Amino acid sequence: MAYHEWGDPSNPKVLICVHGLTRRGSDFNVLAKAMAKDYRVICPDVVGRGESDWLENPMLYGIPQYVADMVTLIARLGVNQVDWLGTSMGGLIGIFLASQENSPIKKILLNDVGPKIEVSALRRLGDYVGKPMRFKTKQAGLIYLNRICAPFGDFTPEQWMAYNGPHLIKDGGEWILHYDPAIAKPFAAVTIATAAMGEMMTWKAYDAITAQTLVVRGGQSDLLSKETVAKMCQRNPRARSIEIPGVGHAPAFITPEQVDLAREFFSE
């Protein structure tokens, strides 16, 4: 598993930023640069994405594998505690890691994700995750990614290039997406029964979290409902929430206001 590092490598204050289902650690470049004055910032590419290896068995693409990888990563960093910012899938990984006894996570920001994921969002993700996509030019790939990511916010062309550009890699004379298409196989295998079991297990993990928790919801999110956020705050006395208007799933944390939001939470 590859990871990108910012800040002083001897700084004992560590912030781990973990991306969503089809994304990569470079999503946090803007945030990491801003936080690097106070933190050693670690942004992994979850296996199957970015610069990390692909798994031989695609059915291992799931939370248990990802949590085990993060435990190994934290051990490699040589620290006893960390703070965590997880977007979507990265937040789910954080929930299960933070639920463990003597978890190293002391503060956790859950970016537009909770134990209950709305069915409409699962259908939307299923429409494009893992589909074989090839583009004749990088610009064509960027147009596609920018459209898929439109709910993240309203950005300049330069910001979109910096954000989505790393997600395209050259393959022969064409451009492809940076992740293993097989990450979609476990996703496609989910049934109503397994989804219900997964939600129940995630609530149980969430209830065990002792870390200070901030739930961030995009005001137009189709993945995390207002009702789920309210339930998360009711069930966990250490949790509070904030909603970012005009943004869907998920806030990208590249605007000054969102960067400041993270900085304020982690500096409290």
Side-chain angles (χ1 to χ4, degrees), residues 112 116-129 151 187 217 220-225 227 249:
D112 211 62
K116 179 179 176 58
I117 296 174
E118 298 300 310
V119 173
S120 58
L122 292 174
R123 288 175 180 150
R124 175 176 57 80
L125 292 168
D127 285 341
Y128 71 86
V129 174
F187 191 80
R217 178 180 184 270
Q220 299 173 359
S221 175
D222 65 344
L223 187 140
L224 180 64
S225 70
E227 292 75 19
H249 180 76

Side-chain angles (χ1 to χ4, degrees), residues 39-208:
Y39 276 91
R40 179 186 182 191
V41 185
I42 306 296
C43 306
D45 289 345
V46 176
V47 288
R49 290 87 167 168
E51 297 174 21
S52 292
D53 288 340
W54 293 6
L55 298 178
E56 291 186 10
N57 180 0
M59 297 311 292
L60 292 178
Y61 285 126
I63 300 298
Q65 177 70 51
Y66 304 153
V67 171
D69 289 345
M70 296 305 167
V71 169
T72 303
L73 171 62
I74 293 171
R76 180 188 177 108
L77 297 175
V79 293
N80 294 320
Q81 68 179 56
V82 301
D83 289 338
W84 188 280
L85 189 157
T87 295
S88 197
M89 179 188 74
L92 294 176
I93 298 169
I95 287 173
F96 281 92
L97 184 55
S99 73
Q100 296 180 356
E101 189 174 357
N102 300 318
S103 171
I105 297 179
K106 300 307 174 187
K107 286 187 178 182
I108 182 168
L109 190 159
L110 299 174
N111 183 20
D112 211 62
V113 71
K116 179 179 176 58
I117 296 174
E118 298 300 310
V119 173
S120 58
L122 292 174
R123 288 175 180 150
R124 175 176 57 80
L125 292 168
D127 285 341
Y128 71 86
V129 174
K131 298 293 193 296
M133 301 294 297
R134 304 187 73 87
F135 308 97
K136 293 190 178 300
T137 65
K138 187 172 186 178
Q139 183 60 31
L142 279 170
I143 291 171
Y144 168 80
L145 285 174
N146 293 353
R147 179 174 59 82
I148 291 293
C149 300
F152 292 9
D154 185 17
F155 307 130
T156 67
E158 292 76 20
Q159 287 174 316
W160 278 122
M161 172 64 82
Y163 191 67
N164 278 332
H167 290 257
L168 294 159
I169 55 176
K170 196 76 176 290
D171 183 48
E174 296 180 308
W175 294 82
I176 60 173
L177 302 177
H178 69 106
Y179 66 85
D180 181 359
I183 66 171
K185 290 188 177 181
F187 191 80
V190 172
T191 65
I192 293 175
T194 57
M197 179 64 71
E199 181 180 332
M200 183 181 71
M201 291 174 62
T202 310
W203 275 118
K204 183 177 180 180
Y206 176 79
D207 289 341

